[in-house]
Amino acid sequence: MTQFRLTPLAQSLPATVPFVGPESQERARSRLFDARLGANENVFGPSPVATRAMAETAQWMYGDPESFELREALAGHYGITPDMIMVGEGIDGLLGYLVRLMVGPGDAVVTSDGAYPTFNYHVAGYGGVLHKVPYKKDFEDPEALFAKAADVDAKLVYLANPDNPMGTAHPGKDIVAAMEKLPEGTLLVLDEAYIECAPQGTPLPLPMDDPRVIRLRTFSKVYGLAGARVGYALGHPDLIAAFNKVRNHFGMNRAAQAGALAALEDQTWLRSVQARIAAARNRIWDIARSTGLKPLPSAANFVAVDCNRDAEFAKAVLHEMVARGVFIRMPMAAPQNRCIRISCGTPANLDILAEVLPVALRAAENC
Amino acid sequence: MTQFRLTPLAQSLPATVPFVGPESQERARSRLFDARLGANENVFGPSPVATRAMAETAQWMYGDPESFELREALAGHYGITPDMIMVGEGIDGLLGYLVRLMVGPGDAVVTSDGAYPTFNYHVAGYGGVLHKVPYKKDFEDPEALFAKAADVDAKLVYLANPDNPMGTAHPGKDIVAAMEKLPEGTLLVLDEAYIECAPQGTPLPLPMDDPRVIRLRTFSKVYGLAGARVGYALGHPDLIAAFNKVRNHFGMNRAAQAGALAALEDQTWLRSVQARIAAARNRIWDIARSTGLKPLPSAANFVAVDCNRDAEFAKAVLHEMVARGVFIRMPMAAPQNRCIRISCGTPANLDILAEVLPVALRAAENC
């Protein structure tokens, strides 16, 4: 690598992948997975109207760099103005832009130990210094996050609500209450990727242009369009405008813009997916309990399941599941890594889960 | 903006858009364009096989972060190994990653005055210092670029071959000859976005893993998939691997991956597009000449047309064309900005061009 004159920061970074994709695992095992329940994708898929809109889009044209129609529709949906909305290449892409805008070498950032690795990847990628606070009984701990932010003069504090990978959520009003302790110089980065399947009262009850917070939402989860890469940020117009300093203006896929717009307009489909996610969560809870495991409560489209022992054991369970054709993932940090994480599946997927989980569990016990 | 703690670099950047999209112009004029000939899109569109592959992709799944199948297919196409190939979100996205990897505040970068603004945007966005050399008779000037790179100890030197916005091209062997002067510490960033419609002999006759150069190619132009956002870099495996330090691993649209793969496999369609581009160039030349203007030679899917006067006049012609429903663009720097730039259109598009250009020209003359 020495022959290429990378920046000192780039030289210091590992050539890493935050998550190994299921396709890589399938290639390694020379077999497709029977159930794809590891990436919190939405197996119920997008609205058929969205699928049609994507298929009918002429892809010889670049997408609209302003994502104007989608932003107009989102503004109508939320009763806000389009200047509070930035559309980007998924929450991952928007987090990258946000970190780039605000975090330079040595700048402090706060997150929970075991929260979203891709956020951490971006912070490290711009030379920021991550400070982590522990989860509190498998919930992210807003008070501790904001207190730590004050301690270290953090520029950003990351909080996912609902949380990933644990699936737990706080009522939005509790986060507002905790924000009393949010220091003035810290921006709250609120990742609401799973908000559409969370209980009423989970969204933050604050105006979308509150300058203390930027919210990130997506069409990848409950709207079923992970492959399309459409996320959006909601925030103060000055902050939203700053994305224009660094973003890839022509980075949006044109069909994806049309698909997201159509998906947003089909709230009937969204409600049907919400119901199917709720049913799938119930079934995962039942399956886990019937094998003696402890499923956690979930406000998201997945369930974290406590395997009752240590990380090594959870890892063995995961390994045995994957070996039997069920793609799942698990939390990366202690003590949450005593759990495995199972995304909501179709009834057929969950039939497979019901069959494989007890077998995998016995195999792990005999390791 | 002062309430948000942007980095000093981010604060210094304008909230800009390198190009105003045609949709923005359409909204401003409250009418759609009759001919969309400004963004060097491919009006002939992608292979129908690619369109079908995109429509049949289940977009509820994330794309493969390794773009494995597409890289395998590209490797087969070029007779190289997949570790020489990085797939990314269009050339724009890949240029952003490359600049981020190599350019920090104060680092020198060389380009031609009037070459691709999005490259300049990325360099400014990471604090690099741009040094520009003039075009030489409407051609980029490799010798001058490389000499300047030596003068300023540039980390990167950008060269588009064929060039945009002028459409001119050098034989690849002439660039190789000029590379004698490329300093050892400078990486040649060779943008070959239009290579598939350039004459034989235009591609650089050097191994793809030559460490002195990184090549950028795309499915946006001759493959007709601008809306899909799929580009790729070809280079030395160590340099290609470095993209994994900073890229958005899950940034690729899944349908776009499938569409690009199918497009690559339909070389029959590609050849038919190449023929239609050649015919459209001929027709644009004829139309321009018949109005007394001087079309430049072109190795790309557009033609730069010398309006025989100064930039003000070319701007007026452009304005009158746009006002009459024909979206075109023009070079931004002198002396190339005496020209307008017209993308290849369908026969119907060019019928409109033939009708509108002389009228617009007269209107500009009467300004």
Side-chain angles (χ1 to χ4, degrees):
Chain A
M1 193 69 71
T2 47
Q3 64 186 317
F4 298 106
R5 293 168 76 191
L6 304 191
T7 65
L9 176 57
Q11 278 177 38
S12 75
L13 298 172
T16 184
V17 180
F19 299 103
V20 178
E23 289 81 8
S24 308
Q25 298 183 41
E26 288 175 333
R27 287 188 290 270
R29 57 197 294 273
S30 303
R31 265 185 63 197
L32 298 181
F33 283 117
D34 301 315
R36 182 168 162 130
L37 305 176
N40 299 343
E41 295 159 329
N42 175 0
V43 295
F44 309 112
S47 158
V49 185
T51 299
R52 200 176 321 131
M54 292 189 288
E56 287 172 357
T57 299
Q59 285 286 57
W60 65 266
M61 289 182 270
Y62 288 103
D64 173 14
E66 299 184 34
S67 294
F68 182 86
E69 291 180 20
L70 180 55
R71 282 168 52 240
E72 286 279 316
L74 285 166
H77 183 74
Y78 290 118
I80 61 176
T81 50
D83 61 356
M84 300 182 202
I85 305 168
M86 177 55 63
V87 170
E89 305 92 334
I91 289 180
D92 284 1
L94 289 162
L95 283 174
Y97 294 137
L98 180 66
V99 170
R100 178 174 167 195
L101 281 171
M102 302 199 57
V103 178
D107 284 342
V109 174
V110 172
T111 187
S112 301
D113 189 17
Y116 195 44
T118 303
F119 178 71
N120 301 356
Y121 168 79
H122 289 310
V123 172
Y126 288 101
V129 177
L130 267 173
H131 300 266
K132 297 179 179 178
V133 306
Y135 278 64
K136 191 172 164 183
K137 297 185 179 172
D138 299 320
F139 282 73
E140 291 202 61
D141 185 349
E143 286 84 1
L145 286 164
F146 303 159
K148 173 66 80 175
D151 278 359
V152 299
D153 187 25
K155 282 184 147 182
L156 303 176
V157 57
Y158 176 89
L159 170 63
N161 195 48
D163 173 63
N164 175 23
M166 303 312 285
T168 50
H170 295 283
K173 66 178 171 41
D174 292 2
I175 295 175
V176 173
M179 283 172 69
E180 292 293 315
K181 285 195 199 159
L182 183 71
E184 211 169 303
T186 303
L187 180 69
L188 170 58
V189 181
L190 187 66
D191 185 339
E192 298 182 323
Y194 300 96
I195 201 72
E196 294 90 357
C197 59
Q200 275 205 327
T202 307
L204 207 65
L206 285 176
M208 291 294 186
D209 59 352
D210 189 306
R212 296 173 296 169
V213 56
I214 186 165
R215 301 177 217 211
L216 297 153
R217 296 186 178 182
T218 185
F219 288 91
S220 296
K221 302 298 181 185
V222 190
Y223 283 104
L225 286 168
R229 315 282 53 227
V230 188
Y232 55 100
L234 301 165
H236 189 280
D238 287 351
L239 181 58
I240 292 300
F243 283 82
N244 284 323
K245 294 166 172 270
V246 297
R247 74 187 178 96
N248 191 359
H249 294 86
F250 285 84
M252 291 301 296
N253 181 296
R254 188 177 183 94
Q257 291 174 322
L261 179 62
L264 183 71
E265 285 169 351
D266 191 352
Q267 293 290 313
T268 306
W269 178 265
L270 188 77
R271 279 188 294 274
S272 80
V273 171
Q274 290 164 331
R276 283 185 277 179
I277 287 173
R281 281 191 303 228
N282 282 332
R283 179 122 188 257
I284 297 172
W285 282 322
D286 288 344
I287 293 168
R289 281 197 204 99
S290 73
T291 56
L293 303 183
K294 285 202 290 280
L296 272 62
S298 171
N301 74 339
F302 59 86
V303 176
V305 176
D306 185 342
C307 293
N308 295 326
R309 288 164 61 174
D310 60 4
E312 279 312 299
F313 182 67
K315 223 174 275 179
V317 175
L318 179 140
H319 176 79
E320 298 295 342
M321 298 278 287
V322 164
R324 287 169 179 75
V326 179
F327 168 53
I328 60 169
R329 287 201 175 114
M330 63 180 288
M332 296 183 186
Q336 298 92 261
N337 60 6
R338 69 190 192 285
C339 300
I340 55 175
R341 193 195 69 181
I342 304 169
S343 306
C344 287
T346 62
N349 292 153
L350 299 187
D351 288 346
I352 294 170
L353 178 71
E355 193 187 309
V356 168
L357 182 59
V359 183
L361 207 54
R362 274 196 302 274
E365 281 163 354
N366 295 330
C367 269
Chain B
M1 194 71 69
T2 48
Q3 63 187 316
F4 297 106
R5 292 168 77 190
L6 303 192
T7 65
L9 175 58
Q11 277 177 39
S12 75
L13 300 171
T16 184
V17 179
F19 298 104
V20 177
E23 290 81 6
S24 307
Q25 297 183 41
E26 288 176 333
R27 287 188 289 270
R29 57 198 293 274
S30 304
R31 265 184 63 197
L32 298 181
F33 283 117
D34 300 316
R36 183 169 162 129
L37 306 176
N40 299 345
E41 295 158 329
N42 175 358
V43 295
F44 308 112
S47 158
V49 185
T51 299
R52 201 175 322 129
M54 293 189 289
E56 287 171 358
T57 299
Q59 285 285 57
W60 64 266
M61 289 182 271
Y62 287 103
D64 173 14
E66 299 184 34
S67 294
F68 182 87
E69 291 180 20
L70 180 55
R71 281 169 52 241
E72 285 280 317
L74 285 165
H77 184 73
Y78 290 118
I80 59 175
T81 50
D83 61 355
M84 300 182 203
I85 305 168
M86 177 54 64
V87 170
E89 304 91 333
I91 289 180
D92 284 0
L94 288 162
L95 284 174
Y97 294 138
L98 180 66
V99 171
R100 179 175 166 195
L101 281 171
M102 304 201 53
V103 178
D107 284 343
V109 175
V110 172
T111 187
S112 302
D113 189 17
Y116 195 44
T118 303
F119 177 73
N120 302 356
Y121 167 79
H122 289 310
V123 173
Y126 289 101
V129 178
L130 267 173
H131 300 267
K132 298 180 180 178
V133 306
Y135 278 63
K136 191 172 163 184
K137 295 183 179 172
D138 299 323
F139 282 71
E140 290 203 61
D141 185 348
E143 286 85 1
L145 286 164
F146 302 159
K148 174 64 81 175
D151 279 357
V152 300
D153 187 24
K155 283 185 144 183
L156 303 176
V157 57
Y158 176 90
L159 170 62
N161 194 48
D163 173 64
N164 175 24
M166 303 313 284
T168 49
H170 295 283
K173 66 177 171 44
D174 292 2
I175 295 175
V176 173
M179 283 171 70
E180 292 292 316
K181 285 195 199 160
L182 184 70
E184 210 170 306
T186 301
L187 180 71
L188 170 57
V189 182
L190 187 65
D191 184 338
E192 300 183 321
Y194 300 95
I195 200 73
E196 293 89 358
C197 60
Q200 276 205 326
T202 307
L204 207 64
L206 285 177
M208 291 294 187
D209 59 352
D210 189 306
R212 296 173 295 169
V213 54
I214 186 165
R215 301 176 216 213
L216 298 154
R217 296 188 177 181
T218 184
F219 288 92
S220 296
K221 301 299 180 186
V222 190
Y223 283 104
L225 286 169
R229 313 285 53 229
V230 187
Y232 56 100
L234 301 165
H236 189 281
D238 287 351
L239 181 58
I240 293 301
F243 283 81
N244 284 323
K245 294 166 172 272
V246 298
R247 74 187 179 97
N248 190 359
H249 293 84
F250 285 83
M252 291 301 296
N253 180 297
R254 187 177 184 94
Q257 291 173 322
L261 179 63
L264 183 70
E265 286 170 351
D266 191 353
Q267 292 290 314
T268 306
W269 178 265
L270 188 77
R271 281 188 293 275
S272 81
V273 171
Q274 289 165 332
R276 284 185 275 180
I277 287 173
R281 281 191 304 228
N282 282 333
R283 177 120 192 258
I284 296 172
W285 282 322
D286 288 345
I287 293 168
R289 281 196 204 101
S290 74
T291 55
L293 303 184
K294 284 202 290 279
L296 272 61
S298 170
N301 74 339
F302 57 87
V303 176
V305 175
D306 184 341
C307 292
N308 297 327
R309 288 166 59 174
D310 59 3
E312 279 313 298
F313 181 66
K315 220 174 278 179
V317 175
L318 180 139
H319 176 79
E320 297 295 341
M321 298 278 287
V322 165
R324 286 168 179 78
V326 179
F327 167 53
I328 60 169
R329 288 202 174 114
M330 63 179 287
M332 295 183 186
Q336 299 92 261
N337 61 6
R338 71 191 190 283
C339 299
I340 56 175
R341 194 195 68 182
I342 303 170
S343 306
C344 288
T346 62
N349 292 153
L350 300 186
D351 288 346
I352 295 170
L353 178 72
E355 193 186 310
V356 168
L357 182 59
V359 183
L361 207 54
R362 276 196 300 276
E365 282 162 354
N366 295 330
C367 268

